[in-house]
């Protein structure tokens, strides 16, 4: 993860997930006392509303008003039909970070970083990686040392997983 000397440690005591399909919730997020607001395009959004949610999240981030809160956009995995469009939209929005779901390898982080650079993302757009499977835990060192844009590892513990070797 990035060890940029210019960055000072930032406490992240609370992170709230906001469904990208719910405009009212994202508006309310501007008033909530949280350190991080994760605008979710993945699990909280049904397949038939993914495009609409992407537009709504883009509008919300561009509008700003989140104050000291970090605005992080959780995209769909690049292997899904929505992932590349999500990442293209997030690249130049002004979000603090993009959260990649279900990361299990360094290659996934590097692919996102390469995509961001090609899309003209600013250098301060960070990558957060969700560690959600036993395989990801086993490869934690590899993932954590991926790209300099990688700043945070998020433990996703919402459901049981299986690991096949």
């Amino acid at each position: 993860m990035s060890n940029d000397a210019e960055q000072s440690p930032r406490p992240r005591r609370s992170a709230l997930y906001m469904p990208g399909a719910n405009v009212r919730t994202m508006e309310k997020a501007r008033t909530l006392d949280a350190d991080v607001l994760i605008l979710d395009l993945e699990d909280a959004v049904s397949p038939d509303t993914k495009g609409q949610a992407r537009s709504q999240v883009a509008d919300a981030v561009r509008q700003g008003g989140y104050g000291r809160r970090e605005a992080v956009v959780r995209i769909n995995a690049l292997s899904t039909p929505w992932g590349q469009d999500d990442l293209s939209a997030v690249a130049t929005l002004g979000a603090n970070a993009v959260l990649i779901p279900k990361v299990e390898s360094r290659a996934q982080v590097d692919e996102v970083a390469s995509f961001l650079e090609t899309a003209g993302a600013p250098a301060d757009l960070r990558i957060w990686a969700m560690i959600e499977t036993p395989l990801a835990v086993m490869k934690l060192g590899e993932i954590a040392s991926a790209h300099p844009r990688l700043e945070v590892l998020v433990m996703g513990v919402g459901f049981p997983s299986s690991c096949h070797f």
Side-chain angles (χ1 to χ4, degrees):
M1 290 183 287
S2 175
N3 289 331
D4 188 356
E6 294 178 20
Q7 283 185 320
S8 59
R10 181 180 180 131
R12 294 178 177 103
R13 298 162 293 225
S14 58
L16 297 176
Y17 286 77
M18 305 281 127
N22 189 328
V23 173
R24 201 169 93 201
T25 302
M26 288 188 291
E27 288 173 4
K28 182 175 173 104
R30 291 181 175 91
T31 67
L32 300 175
D33 189 23
D35 296 312
V36 179
L37 301 170
I38 299 173
L39 307 177
D40 193 5
L41 296 174
E42 193 210 16
D43 288 344
V45 179
S46 66
D48 59 327
T49 60
K50 297 275 189 189
Q52 178 184 356
R54 184 182 313 113
S55 294
Q56 291 172 180
V57 165
D59 290 345
V61 173
R62 281 189 196 106
Q63 184 180 353
Y66 292 107
R68 63 168 178 71
R69 298 164 199 85
E70 286 179 277
V72 177
V73 179
R74 178 163 72 164
I75 64 168
N76 288 278
L78 292 185
S79 61
T80 69
W82 312 281
Q84 290 193 358
D85 289 339
D86 290 351
L87 195 51
S88 290
V90 174
T92 57
L93 273 184
N96 298 96
V98 57
L99 177 54
I100 313 166
K102 298 170 185 72
V103 174
E104 292 185 327
S105 72
R106 175 188 186 109
Q108 287 172 278
V109 176
D110 289 341
E111 180 182 12
V112 167
S114 177
F115 191 104
L116 289 173
E117 288 165 16
T118 300
D124 64 348
L125 178 61
R126 296 293 176 218
I127 295 173
W128 292 17
M130 287 201 79
I131 306 302
E132 302 180 72
T133 67
L135 180 59
V137 172
M138 291 181 67
K139 292 187 169 188
L140 205 51
E142 169 191 321
I143 294 166
S145 64
H147 194 275
R149 281 187 190 263
L150 180 64
E151 182 178 54
V152 173
L153 299 175
V154 177
M155 296 304 295
V157 294
F159 58 91
S161 301
S162 62
C163 186
H164 303 283
F165 299 98

